[in-house]
Amino acid sequence: MIVDCAVYRHGHRTEGPEDLSDALDEARAVGGFVWIGLYEPSEREFDLVTQEFGLHRLAVEDALKAHQRPKLEVYDDSLFMVLKPVVYDAEHDTVSAGEIMIFVGDCFVVTVRHGVESPLAGVRHRLEAEPEMLDKGPTAVLYAIADAVVDHYLDVASELQADLEELETEVFQPERGGSRHTASRIYTFKRQVLEFRRCTHPLMVPLTRLAGTGPLGTGVPFVHDKARPFFRDVGDHLLRVNESVEALDRLVSDILAAHLAQMSVRQNDDMRKISAWAAMAAVPTMIAGVYGMNFDHMPELHWFWSYPAVILLMAALEVLLYRLFKARGWL
């Protein structure tokens, strides 16, 4: 359950306590903070952490059940934030979302991870290499995690944009105009964009509160005032991501509409071609049908050149119809 546990003092890591119940007391004794990382803990396993750090039961319930929207909750003794990191599998065109729950107090950080790979290990290593940043306390950890998640959003948005350009090229190929499975691929891609949007769009409100730029941004506890510009920077990056997601959603909808329009135009062209060939086949069929009747008094019945004349008439009519349909673009 416990991925990592360490006490940080003046930005430097010290050995974590052997007993989790001593972690908070030790952090307060040295004037630092404790950072505990958990992975998909059970309710029984999480009870000790809940009791030791005094976490609110509603936040604990959210952390255990997961499947939460990105949000920020303020409780008496802690701050609770939900982030949703994403991983894009370009081979299978799927967006997978995980969850990171962060509890922030005056001298502790508890992170709970669910689902796909997360940047927490990289964030911890990067912060430990920057003692000046880590010396800012739990606020620095909260900022670093949010920054890593949002920066990865930018990478995913770029990968989606590249795949969408390939899909767009396939749809607008002059010789093909997309295969019969293109509509299914476009719809699947739109579902992935929607899944990505569910992770990025709701995060703007929590970051706005942390940055202090909105009506709810003032008075957020456990966040140092000097850290607000950093959260504003993360918010700017998230704004770029949301704009990219909106553009992707609109563009994929336009591509789907264009593909369906192309399919309709091709079907109309096919029907016109079929109608034109059917009309051309109907003329000799009609003439042959008339001359196939058993009448004694048929025009030119006993004329020597009647047969080649009728054949020549049918050929002339076929050429006339072909040129007429060709001129109108039906063939």
Side-chain angles (χ1 to χ4, degrees):
M1 176 191 70
I2 299 180
V3 178
D4 200 351
C5 176
V7 174
Y8 297 90
R9 180 174 181 268
H10 300 312
H12 296 281
R13 179 182 180 128
T14 62
E15 292 297 331
E18 297 181 358
D19 190 348
L20 186 61
S21 60
D22 298 331
L24 190 58
D25 293 336
E26 181 176 332
R28 286 173 175 167
V30 299
F33 71 95
V34 59
W35 181 2
I36 299 176
L38 309 174
Y39 176 69
E40 295 186 357
S42 65
E43 183 176 355
R44 182 177 179 181
E45 293 171 334
F46 203 54
D47 283 342
L48 179 59
V49 179
T50 302
Q51 296 172 6
E52 177 65 21
F53 296 98
L55 306 179
H56 197 279
R57 64 182 184 87
L58 293 178
V60 170
E61 182 180 353
D62 290 342
L64 291 174
K65 292 184 178 180
H67 303 294
Q68 304 294 318
R69 285 166 52 91
K71 63 179 180 177
L72 177 66
E73 301 287 350
V74 178
Y75 299 101
D76 294 336
D77 299 324
S78 63
L79 195 68
F80 178 66
M81 187 171 184
V82 179
L83 299 169
K84 296 182 74 69
V86 298
V87 174
Y88 181 58
D89 185 357
E91 182 178 354
H92 299 92
D93 296 334
T94 57
V95 173
S96 302
E99 292 187 48
I100 299 177
M101 283 76 170
I102 309 172
F103 296 87
V104 177
D106 56 347
C107 56
F108 70 86
V109 177
V110 177
T111 56
V112 181
R113 178 167 65 90
H114 292 267
V116 299
E117 297 179 1
S118 72
L120 290 181
V123 169
R124 188 185 287 263
H125 294 323
R126 186 165 62 252
L127 282 176
E128 290 177 354
E130 301 178 6
E132 293 183 0
M133 173 67 73
L134 197 55
D135 190 36
K136 304 300 181 182
T139 302
V141 177
L142 180 62
Y143 157 72
I145 295 175
D147 184 58
V149 170
V150 173
D151 283 347
H152 190 62
Y153 285 165
L154 291 170
D155 297 335
V156 173
S158 298
E159 294 176 359
L160 287 172
Q161 180 65 41
D163 285 355
L164 184 60
E165 290 176 358
E166 294 180 2
L167 192 59
E168 185 179 17
T169 302
E170 177 182 343
V171 170
F172 292 102
Q173 281 181 346
E175 66 277 8
R176 293 179 60 189
S179 65
R180 60 179 181 176
H181 301 294
T182 302
S184 177
R185 287 191 57 198
I186 296 174
Y187 181 75
T188 301
F189 190 89
K190 187 174 180 64
R191 289 292 302 270
Q192 304 311 313
V193 173
L194 178 60
E195 180 67 23
F196 188 33
R197 183 179 181 181
R198 289 173 180 169
C199 300
T200 64
H201 188 72
L203 185 58
M204 182 56 70
V205 174
L207 287 178
T208 301
R209 295 182 62 186
L210 291 171
T213 55
L216 301 177
T218 58
V220 178
F222 312 111
V223 176
H224 200 280
D225 290 339
K226 293 183 178 180
R228 298 188 186 278
F230 294 93
F231 285 108
R232 283 199 293 271
D233 181 68
V234 178
D236 290 340
H237 292 175
L238 182 62
L239 182 60
R240 288 173 50 195
V241 172
N242 286 334
E243 290 175 351
S244 298
V245 173
E246 294 291 339
L248 285 171
D249 186 57
R250 290 194 299 268
L251 185 57
V252 73
S253 298
D254 293 342
I255 291 176
L256 179 59
H259 174 68
L260 295 178
Q262 283 184 332
M263 295 292 291
S264 178
V265 170
R266 287 205 302 269
Q267 289 176 353
N268 290 336
D269 289 340
D270 293 340
M271 289 302 299
R272 286 189 299 178
K273 291 180 180 179
I274 293 173
S275 300
W277 287 111
M280 292 173 61
V283 171
T285 302
M286 177 186 65
I287 297 176
V290 171
Y291 276 86
M293 297 180 182
N294 296 321
F295 293 154
D296 290 334
H297 303 286
M298 181 73 67
E300 292 86 25
L301 183 62
H302 301 288
W303 184 37
F304 180 79
W305 297 105
S306 60
Y307 181 76
V310 171
I311 296 297
L312 183 61
L313 175 62
M314 289 190 292
L317 291 175
E318 289 294 296
V319 172
L320 179 62
L321 288 175
Y322 179 82
R323 297 186 63 178
L324 177 63
F325 291 139
K326 191 70 173 178
R328 294 188 177 183
W330 285 32
L331 292 174

